[in-house]
Amino acid sequence: MMSRRTRQRMVDRLGEKGITNKKILEVMANVPRHIFLDEALAHRAYDDVSLPIGYGQTLSQPWVVARMTELLLSLGRPEKVLEIGTGSGYQTAVLSPLVDRVVTVERIAPLQRRARQRHYDLKCNNIRYHHSDGEFGLSREAPYNAIISTAAPERIPQSLLDQLAPDGVLVIPVGTDQQQLHFVYRDGDSDQFVTNIIEPVHFVPLVAGELVHS
């Protein structure tokens, strides 16, 4: 179930569903998704479903990971990416070979520790980790050429828009019961942002101000 052939079947399905970026498909064929799950769920790692990872969080379905990554790279390879919500670390591991640097923020320390170890085992060496509240981004590392959120706020936080570099992009699910994936482009170095609503999605909510240290 964990073989290269199993991963390739997952990637073939992604291509059939409209993912066209060959670099993303290649990375997702190489990243072992099963190591980002508890052993009891590892047999479902390559199904196109989201799966629980503890603390009320989930590992997004492969198609959503691929789609959000494709949007993030749609204007070229970003130099520095901010990820809101490290979670299991799978999305981070997919981004790592596709961008120059990843800065990832997670409010649940045990999840981030596990993710860091997985990235170490996979030799993902261009990731910086911060235990912090993702709603406010991470201004001390800004600006970012791209920001991706794996949790949904009720509305797009102004703090994330403020941290985008000129011509930067933000990929983020927005909403409560009815969530929509948003693609936001900063027009040069102006204060103008162009927003496109891509499609319905379902993510865990972005929780503000509550850090878990255990």
Side-chain angles (χ1 to χ4, degrees):
M1 285 300 296
M2 313 312 172
S3 70
R4 173 74 183 217
R5 185 179 303 173
T6 303
R7 283 182 238 166
Q8 188 58 51
R9 284 199 295 268
M10 176 192 75
V11 168
D12 290 343
R13 290 194 300 270
L14 294 176
E16 292 167 1
K17 295 178 71 172
I19 302 301
T20 60
N21 187 307
K22 289 182 169 49
K23 290 183 179 179
I24 294 172
L25 294 174
E26 181 181 347
V27 168
M28 293 187 69
N30 289 329
V31 175
R33 190 169 185 259
H34 61 276
I35 73 168
F36 294 88
L37 292 163
D38 289 340
E39 188 174 349
L41 288 172
H43 67 286
R44 300 200 63 196
Y46 300 99
D47 296 343
D48 196 23
V49 295
S50 62
L51 295 165
I53 58 172
Y55 297 91
Q57 306 300 299
T58 59
L59 169 60
S60 295
Q61 68 185 96
W63 184 85
V64 169
V65 172
R67 180 67 170 132
M68 293 180 72
T69 305
E70 193 168 57
L71 289 167
L72 200 77
L73 302 180
S74 60
L75 300 183
R77 179 186 176 102
E79 178 182 345
K80 183 164 62 172
V81 174
L82 173 64
E83 179 190 39
I84 305 298
T86 314
S88 71
Y90 178 69
Q91 173 75 78
T92 330
V94 170
L95 286 173
S96 176
L98 296 168
V99 306
D100 292 351
R101 287 182 288 165
V102 182
V103 179
T104 185
V105 173
E106 175 57 57
R107 68 181 183 85
I108 303 172
L111 290 181
Q112 192 171 70
R113 284 195 296 270
R114 293 173 203 164
R116 186 194 292 260
Q117 182 60 52
R118 291 160 179 155
H119 297 153
Y120 177 82
D121 294 341
L122 293 172
K123 297 180 171 58
C124 299
N125 300 318
N126 62 340
I127 303 169
R128 291 172 60 90
Y129 305 86
H130 294 271
H131 182 221
S132 183
D133 178 350
E135 183 179 21
F136 300 106
L138 196 70
S139 60
R140 66 179 178 270
E141 297 267 3
Y144 305 96
N145 306 102
I147 299 175
I148 185 171
S149 178
T150 60
E154 292 185 18
R155 59 188 64 83
I156 297 175
Q158 183 63 43
S159 55
L160 299 187
L161 298 176
D162 291 343
Q163 292 172 39
L164 279 177
D167 299 312
V169 299
L170 167 64
V171 179
I172 185 169
V174 180
T176 51
D177 295 334
Q178 303 292 326
Q179 296 176 1
Q180 299 282 346
L181 185 61
H182 286 54
F183 176 86
V184 183
Y185 166 72
R186 182 178 181 186
D187 187 4
D189 61 357
S190 74
D191 292 329
Q192 301 299 312
F193 298 89
V194 180
T195 300
N196 291 295
I197 297 176
I198 306 301
E199 56 210 332
V201 287
H202 182 69
F203 280 81
V204 296
L206 181 61
V207 177
E210 178 187 344
L211 297 184
V212 178
H213 295 273
S214 60

